[in-house]
Amino acid sequence: MNLTLLLHVLGIVVWVGGMFFAYMALRPVAASVLEPPQRLTLWAGVFGKFFPWVWASVVLILLSGLHMLVKLGGAAAPHYALTMLVLGVAMMLIFAHVFFAPYKKLKRAVGAQDWKAGGAALAQIRKLIGINLAIGLLTIAVVFVGRALMLN
């Protein structure tokens, strides 16, 4: 169980930590110093490097999470664990949408140098990553609060 938990946490650190860095540090600087062609090209490249890591994290988080959930009793697992599952699956679905819809549009727009379409795609990605970041941080809080309540 310890190895499974370690793999689970590593996947979360990569994904949620990456979103935090991108949203809170890279995004504001890129928006303030780069013109749309450079900014959109940067983001298409950053996502091209980050999203394979997210896919690996999604697989790792899902498999390790389901393994731990079974060990905790499956449907009879503590409520915080089931809440984590629901929130995690929602995050995965949002990420899949980002990857297959607006990210694909962003790549196509950058390739065609259609900066207006690229900007619209990036705005949609930014919104969805912001939502996913909030859900990710909430999920982390749920597990710690849930476990603390169970100990009391």
Side-chain angles (χ1 to χ4, degrees):
M1 187 82 142
N2 287 337
L3 177 60
T4 305
L5 180 59
L6 173 64
L7 295 173
H8 195 74
V9 170
L10 288 175
I12 292 164
V13 167
V14 168
W15 188 11
V16 177
M19 287 190 297
F20 187 89
F21 168 77
Y23 200 84
M24 302 303 289
L26 182 58
R27 182 186 64 82
V29 173
S32 68
V33 301
L34 298 175
E35 294 298 320
Q38 292 80 25
R39 184 172 60 247
L40 295 168
T41 302
L42 170 74
W43 279 112
V46 166
F47 293 142
K49 295 290 186 187
F50 180 55
F51 285 171
W53 286 102
V54 175
W55 279 115
S57 294
V58 163
V59 170
L60 191 60
I61 293 164
L62 187 58
L63 292 177
S64 60
L66 290 173
H67 175 75
M68 289 186 292
L69 194 63
V70 167
K71 294 286 187 184
L72 289 172
H79 293 299
Y80 74 85
L82 298 172
T83 302
M84 245 193 319
L85 174 64
V86 170
L87 293 172
V89 168
M91 288 178 68
M92 293 171 192
L93 291 172
I94 291 169
F95 169 67
H97 173 71
V98 166
F99 185 82
F100 291 112
Y103 172 56
K104 191 174 270 193
K105 290 176 188 173
L106 175 64
K107 289 192 308 183
R108 194 169 33 248
V110 168
Q113 297 184 352
D114 182 351
W115 308 123
K116 184 176 180 179
L122 184 59
Q124 187 178 16
I125 292 169
R126 181 178 61 243
K127 178 182 172 187
L128 292 170
I129 288 178
I131 291 168
N132 247 7
L133 176 58
I135 296 171
L137 295 173
L138 173 64
T139 304
I140 293 167
V142 162
V143 69
F144 281 94
V145 171
R147 290 182 74 173
L149 291 174
M150 289 193 62
L151 296 174
N152 291 330

